[in-house]
Amino acid sequence: MAAPVRRSCAYLSRYGSCFLRHRPRLCLSSRSKLHRSPAAHGGLLLSLSKRGVLKDSFPEDGATQDRLARLLQSGAQTVYCGFDPTADSLHVGNLLALIGLLHFRSAGHHVVAVLGGATAQIGDPSGKSGEREPLPADALEENTRGIRESIQRIVVNHELNFHDGSKMLGTATVLNNLSWYRDRDVVGFLSETGRWFRMGSLLSRHSVRSRLQSPEGMSLAEFTYQVFQAYDFHHLHQLYGCRIQLGGNDQLGNLMSGHEFIHKVSGDEVFGLTVPLVTSSTGDKLGKTAGNAVWLNREKTSPFELYQFFLRQPDASVERYLKLFTFLPLGEVERLMEQQREDPGKRLAHKRLAAEVTKLVHGKEGLESAKRCTNALYHSSVKALEQMNDEELQELFKEAPFQELLLEPGTTVLDACRKVHAIPEGAKGYCMVTEGAVWINHSRTDQPEQVLVPKIHILSNGLTLLRVGKRNFYIIKWIGL
């Protein structure tokens, strides 16, 4: 897992981005050069609101938006969002928060993604009906690597494929909050930090009240989660001058705690912004807790599966998702929807949505892979099959056995089927071929004694896709060609 992270960091360095784990002030020294016009920053908040990316802001008084707009006009700001590594990949439910950060970065602001190597050991009670099981240290480390890779890859893909090169980007930084808790002792932390919090405020949070009223209740560890997240905001405020925290709408209570803590300690005003929770067409939250996660790392959800997830969205969701999950101008979204209404059968909006998200998450190569897999599976394209590599075939046919076989002279269709145990031995298997139950590279074959012919039964990439019946696939990699 470490190798892809190192490659990603090198890639970022090559293209002018900056991911820092140490010496965090280095990239931020250019802050004074990144001023933007008042219209640009007021327009950013307005644009994000129109797109539906921003839901609520804190403080909740009516002047917050104006004060925040003025802050953004005053120079490049630092915006942060936290991601607890409770799994080894982010999922579509997390993607909107990342997209929010990327919008701010495109406007010249600095963004920080904080991996909760410490807070994941406590467990965020927000939106949870029960306490998380503690994570072993090795699993936590593995999860942290996986999520770091997700974030770095998406930031690179955004910069390469979606950013207007004529505009200056802010910096992007990935940190692990374990780095500032590792050497803290509990007495010192409580003495320094705990005195600023009041029980009444902590108990009033919705996430706390709902759990306290449940049969299971809430542990002391979970109860302190909002204290640690508030301290994260305080730490970044001290180190980076960070004054804006972005989080899911279920994080509003944690954002409020950070705001109150920083205001008491320093007197400075900071802001919280929330993005809406992404739900399925049935209203279920998209995430690992709900058991319907669509992951952002290829090992868990392939580019093809991600592409198909967005391609299959209900018509009623497509316009909203184009605004939320893509960087298309709102005018272009309106034109796409008009084209879709004129000719719904072409599903142009669905295809554009799926393509834009897949390219953001997996890059241009991932999008091309998704299209090849789509053509191979749904359009019976032999050309697409020939262009697919072993990895793509195994992703596309996840349950299909993959075997390497030595191609001996005179190998027949029947031999190939029997070697991969696709048909029974004896007369029954023979009859299955003659009766047309076997397909090779999308073509039906009914001649068991037919010798395998290169470019027909064996593709130019040395592969054969064998299907028996409607759903039983077998992938053969021939050696000795």
Side-chain angles (χ1 to χ4, degrees):
M1 294 295 290
V5 173
R6 288 195 296 271
R7 287 197 296 271
S8 194
C9 287
Y11 201 39
L12 287 163
S13 178
R14 175 183 173 191
Y15 285 96
S17 300
C18 191
F19 275 85
L20 301 173
R21 278 173 276 181
H22 309 291
R23 302 174 60 195
R25 294 186 183 276
L26 181 61
C27 281
L28 300 186
S29 61
S30 60
R31 181 176 299 170
S32 60
K33 301 177 182 179
L34 297 175
H35 287 278
R36 292 290 183 270
S37 68
H41 290 302
L44 173 63
L45 293 177
L46 181 61
S47 173
L48 293 180
S49 296
K50 285 183 176 179
R51 301 185 77 95
V53 174
L54 295 183
K55 182 172 177 60
D56 294 314
S57 58
F58 188 84
E60 297 175 301
D61 60 88
T64 292
Q65 288 284 327
D66 291 338
R67 295 200 304 274
L68 182 54
R70 286 197 296 272
L71 176 65
L72 293 171
Q73 292 164 19
S74 68
Q77 300 301 314
T78 299
V79 184
Y80 106 90
C81 185
F83 303 90
D84 276 353
T86 52
D88 58 3
S89 169
L90 297 178
H91 51 76
V92 167
N94 305 124
L95 184 57
L96 192 55
L98 268 177
I99 287 174
L101 287 180
L102 293 173
H103 278 292
F104 277 98
R105 187 178 185 230
S106 290
H109 299 291
H110 308 299
V111 297
V112 180
V114 174
L115 307 182
T119 43
Q121 299 178 53
I122 298 169
D124 184 359
S126 302
K128 305 296 184 299
S129 59
E131 189 167 3
R132 293 185 185 276
E133 289 293 325
L135 284 170
D138 57 343
L140 185 60
E141 186 176 350
E142 185 74 12
N143 291 352
T144 302
R145 282 197 297 267
I147 290 181
R148 183 185 293 275
E149 191 276 332
S150 286
I151 294 171
Q152 292 177 333
R153 171 170 33 83
I154 290 169
V155 171
V156 169
N157 289 337
H158 170 260
E159 183 169 345
L160 294 180
N161 301 317
F162 299 100
H163 175 64
D164 180 355
S166 65
K167 298 179 180 179
M168 188 178 294
L169 284 167
T171 59
T173 307
V174 178
L175 301 173
N176 186 342
N177 65 11
L178 186 61
S179 65
W180 55 82
Y181 289 116
R182 182 181 287 114
D183 298 325
R184 297 296 303 267
D185 67 276
V186 63
V187 174
F189 179 76
L190 286 175
S191 175
E192 175 188 329
T193 305
R195 67 179 65 252
W196 296 98
F197 292 86
R198 291 295 174 264
M199 291 299 298
S201 295
L202 297 177
L203 288 167
S204 69
R205 307 301 184 217
H206 174 73
S207 60
V208 173
R209 286 188 286 108
S210 61
R211 285 292 300 280
L212 288 177
Q213 294 166 6
S214 70
E216 183 175 332
M218 174 181 254
S219 71
L220 176 61
E222 283 186 300
F223 181 70
T224 63
Y225 184 91
Q226 58 184 310
V227 174
F228 282 92
Q229 190 173 110
Y231 185 82
D232 287 347
F233 197 176
H234 169 66
H235 178 83
L236 295 173
H237 178 61
Q238 287 188 313
L239 191 63
Y240 289 88
C242 177
R243 296 181 65 181
I244 304 168
Q245 181 182 357
L246 191 68
N249 201 50
D250 59 350
Q251 295 293 307
L252 186 58
N254 294 325
L255 269 65
M256 292 165 65
S257 294
H259 172 274
E260 292 170 2
F261 177 43
I262 293 170
H263 187 68
K264 288 178 181 177
V265 172
S266 66
D268 292 337
E269 183 175 38
V270 296
F271 300 88
L273 294 172
T274 67
V275 299
L277 299 180
V278 184
T279 58
S280 69
S281 57
T282 59
D284 295 324
K285 177 183 173 182
L286 297 183
K288 50 190 177 293
T289 303
N292 58 356
V294 176
W295 303 96
L296 304 185
N297 281 10
R298 184 169 189 156
E299 294 78 9
K300 297 172 76 72
T301 298
S302 69
F304 165 74
E305 291 170 315
L306 181 71
Y307 182 88
Q308 289 297 320
F309 171 78
F310 282 97
L311 189 64
R312 294 170 180 169
Q313 288 302 309
D315 292 350
S317 300
V318 173
E319 183 173 5
R320 175 172 176 254
Y321 278 13
L322 278 168
K323 293 176 181 178
L324 288 175
F325 289 109
T326 79
F327 297 93
L328 296 175
L330 292 176
E332 188 168 349
V333 172
E334 291 177 7
R335 288 191 293 273
L336 263 175
M337 295 310 302
E338 183 60 33
Q339 290 173 345
Q340 176 122 330
R341 284 187 286 270
E342 292 174 357
D343 192 347
K346 289 185 177 180
R347 306 183 82 242
L348 295 176
H350 289 79
K351 292 176 182 177
R352 187 65 180 275
L353 169 66
E356 294 289 304
V357 178
T358 305
K359 187 163 61 172
L360 175 65
V361 176
H362 293 293
K364 289 182 178 179
E365 291 182 2
L367 176 57
E368 291 305 313
S369 173
K371 289 181 176 179
R372 281 194 295 271
C373 290
T374 298
N375 288 332
L377 185 62
Y378 296 119
H379 304 292
S380 299
S381 170
V382 174
K383 181 179 179 181
L385 276 177
E386 286 187 310
Q387 294 174 338
M388 293 172 69
N389 56 38
D390 298 1
E391 181 185 29
E392 289 173 339
L393 276 169
Q394 291 178 77
E395 288 175 347
L396 183 58
F397 304 100
K398 279 191 171 182
E399 306 302 322
F402 184 95
Q403 294 192 41
E404 290 188 343
L405 297 179
L406 177 65
L407 182 63
E408 299 174 340
T411 299
T412 66
V413 169
L414 187 64
D415 295 331
C417 291
R418 285 178 173 168
K419 284 182 178 181
V420 298
H421 307 291
I423 59 175
E425 294 289 340
K428 183 178 180 180
Y430 190 93
C431 289
M432 288 177 67
V433 181
T434 60
E435 291 170 359
V438 174
W439 296 68
I440 294 181
N441 301 330
H442 296 314
S443 295
R444 188 194 298 269
T445 179
D446 56 6
Q447 300 178 33
E449 306 300 338
Q450 169 69 55
V451 175
L452 298 182
V453 179
K455 297 185 180 180
I456 297 178
H457 303 103
I458 303 171
L459 301 176
S460 58
N461 55 2
L463 295 170
T464 293
L465 179 65
L466 178 66
R467 174 165 65 88
V468 179
K470 292 184 177 180
R471 303 181 184 277
N472 300 311
F473 290 94
Y474 303 82
I475 303 170
I476 303 172
K477 171 88 170 180
W478 296 102
I479 56 178
L481 293 174

